[in-house]
Amino acid sequence: MQNECWGVILAAGQGRRMAEATGGEAKQFLRWKGAPLWWHSAKAMAASPSIHGLVFVFPPEKKAEAEEELQKLNQSNNLGVRFAVTEGGARRQDSVRHGLEALPDECSQVLIHDSARPFLKTALVTRLARALDEIPGICGVIPGLPVTDTVKEIDEDSIVTGTPERAMLRAVQTPQAFPLEELRTAHHRAEEEGLNVTDDAALIELYDLPVLVIEGDPDNIKITNPQDLTMLTETKPLLPCCGYGYDVHAYGGNRPLMLGGVEIGGDLLVSAHSDGDVLLHALMDALLGCLAAGDIGHLFPDNDPRFDGISSVVLLDHVMSMAAEAGLRICHVDLTVIAQKPKLAPHAEAIRRNVARLLDLPLEHVAFKATTEEKLGFTGELKGLKAVALVSAVR
Ligand code: CTP
Ligand code: MG
């Protein structure tokens, strides 16, 4: 088929401006989402229905290795288009020229793209190719964005020589789309005339051929300076989770009643191996529920002498360390104690504040309620009390 449109993926630069930050590795070989940067824009380009094939331009010394990786990536995640590989040159424009030479005879239009722009979207590729196809007489279509800063022209001594009207300025990106014949001619003439340019459109403009700017994509950033590396850090999404806890203690033991780490006192004593804080026990089980890490009976067995009479605050501290280690961020806790006696309303605020302190949560994210079971069941018969806890968190 004639009149094919191909992409040229430029990946032959040295990345000098960020060599120190990458330990000398050229930026287009940095890995992101399990593949080198050059792969990402290649995938975006190949996914456009307008693109029939790709030429990859790699540094001569890395060509064999990069080609092998390209074959492997294509095997597991097919590009779906033909592709070829060639060697780059010393300047960007040399690499483009080599890329153009590697295009097949069927190709009549080309999109030149910097592989250092890994966030390229297929939609932009298609818009560029379509505009080149559909607008009569146009010799280049490039993506551009309005500039937000006022731009100054200066001389060698940094003296301002002019202020171009901002509304008429555009910061341009790649891919840049051209009819192949015009771009080839422009590059050969530039070679003969010894011209240096930073983008391909500049060559077309030099020969007074019309180039159209269409709306670019603000996300289509070029990784250029060390601070741009933060854009490649991969953050795992936080997933919400809930944990539920339930605990019961019998009255009639020898432990003074503790709830949420607060001593309630009174004549109802609790039977327990630890201090018998039924509320903190339910809370710990809810936290462990968020971690899917078993329960407190398993973590702190009641036949282990180390836990005899131990404060539940100490046990909670241990569970909180486990939660921190697992990357759990607690958002909210909702706690209820079910007891016929004693009356808990006078203690509610102290319990709530103490739990907020223990969990390092703002007070408005700790709810505490107390209720009776209307003299029914074992709480109604004053045989014991129970607590339930619900923890919501993100991991
Ligand atoms: N490029 C290329 N061949 C060159 C120079 C640059 O293929 N001789 C490619 C780069 O790999 C990059 C794109 O052109 O994808 C844009 O160039 P730039 O951002 O300047 O990259 P580098 O030249 O690699 O970086 P630096 O200028 O910091 O050295
Ligand atoms: Mg460069």
Side-chain angles (χ1 to χ4, degrees), residues 13-17 27 92 222:
Q14 312 245 312
R16 285 190 201 89
R17 279 168 285 185
K27 58 194 179 186
R92 182 186 180 281
K222 186 168 69 128

Short mmCIF file of all heavy atoms in Angstrom, two decimals, residues 13-17 27 92 222, ligand 2:
data_model
loop_
_atom_site.label_atom_id
_atom_site.label_comp_id
_atom_site.label_asym_id
_atom_site.label_seq_id
_atom_site.Cartn_x
_atom_site.Cartn_y
_atom_site.Cartn_z
N GLY A 13 19.59 10.27 21.89
CA GLY A 13 20.26 11.36 22.60
C GLY A 13 21.09 10.84 23.76
O GLY A 13 21.02 9.66 24.12
N GLN A 14 21.84 11.77 24.36
CA GLN A 14 22.70 11.40 25.49
C GLN A 14 22.08 11.77 26.83
O GLN A 14 22.54 11.30 27.86
CB GLN A 14 24.02 12.16 25.38
CG GLN A 14 24.65 12.09 24.00
CD GLN A 14 25.95 11.35 24.04
OE1 GLN A 14 26.78 11.62 24.90
NE2 GLN A 14 26.13 10.43 23.14
N GLY A 15 21.10 12.65 26.79
CA GLY A 15 20.48 13.10 28.04
C GLY A 15 21.46 13.78 28.96
O GLY A 15 21.50 13.51 30.17
N ARG A 16 22.27 14.70 28.41
CA ARG A 16 23.34 15.32 29.20
C ARG A 16 22.81 16.14 30.36
O ARG A 16 23.41 16.17 31.42
CB ARG A 16 24.20 16.22 28.32
CG ARG A 16 25.13 15.44 27.41
CD ARG A 16 26.14 16.35 26.73
NE ARG A 16 26.65 15.68 25.54
CZ ARG A 16 26.09 15.78 24.34
NH1 ARG A 16 25.02 16.52 24.18
NH2 ARG A 16 26.60 15.13 23.31
N ARG A 17 21.65 16.80 30.17
CA ARG A 17 21.15 17.69 31.22
C ARG A 17 20.73 16.93 32.47
O ARG A 17 20.57 17.51 33.53
CB ARG A 17 19.98 18.54 30.70
CG ARG A 17 20.46 19.73 29.90
CD ARG A 17 19.33 20.38 29.16
NE ARG A 17 18.92 19.59 27.98
CZ ARG A 17 18.01 20.00 27.11
NH1 ARG A 17 17.41 21.15 27.28
NH2 ARG A 17 17.71 19.25 26.07
N LYS A 27 18.24 9.35 29.31
CA LYS A 27 16.90 9.36 29.93
C LYS A 27 15.89 8.44 29.23
O LYS A 27 15.03 7.85 29.88
CB LYS A 27 16.37 10.79 30.00
CG LYS A 27 16.30 11.47 28.63
CD LYS A 27 16.10 12.97 28.77
CE LYS A 27 16.06 13.61 27.39
NZ LYS A 27 15.99 15.08 27.48
N ARG A 92 20.38 15.92 17.23
CA ARG A 92 19.01 15.42 17.05
C ARG A 92 18.67 15.40 15.56
O ARG A 92 18.09 14.43 15.05
CB ARG A 92 18.02 16.30 17.83
CG ARG A 92 16.58 15.82 17.74
CD ARG A 92 15.65 16.82 18.41
NE ARG A 92 14.25 16.41 18.35
CZ ARG A 92 13.47 16.55 17.28
NH1 ARG A 92 13.96 17.08 16.16
NH2 ARG A 92 12.22 16.14 17.31
N LYS A 222 8.22 16.82 28.07
CA LYS A 222 9.51 16.19 27.73
C LYS A 222 10.35 16.08 28.99
O LYS A 222 10.61 17.08 29.66
CB LYS A 222 10.25 17.01 26.67
CG LYS A 222 11.52 16.28 26.20
CD LYS A 222 12.10 16.93 24.96
CE LYS A 222 12.66 18.28 25.30
NZ LYS A 222 14.03 18.50 24.86
MG MG B 2 19.52 17.52 23.30
#
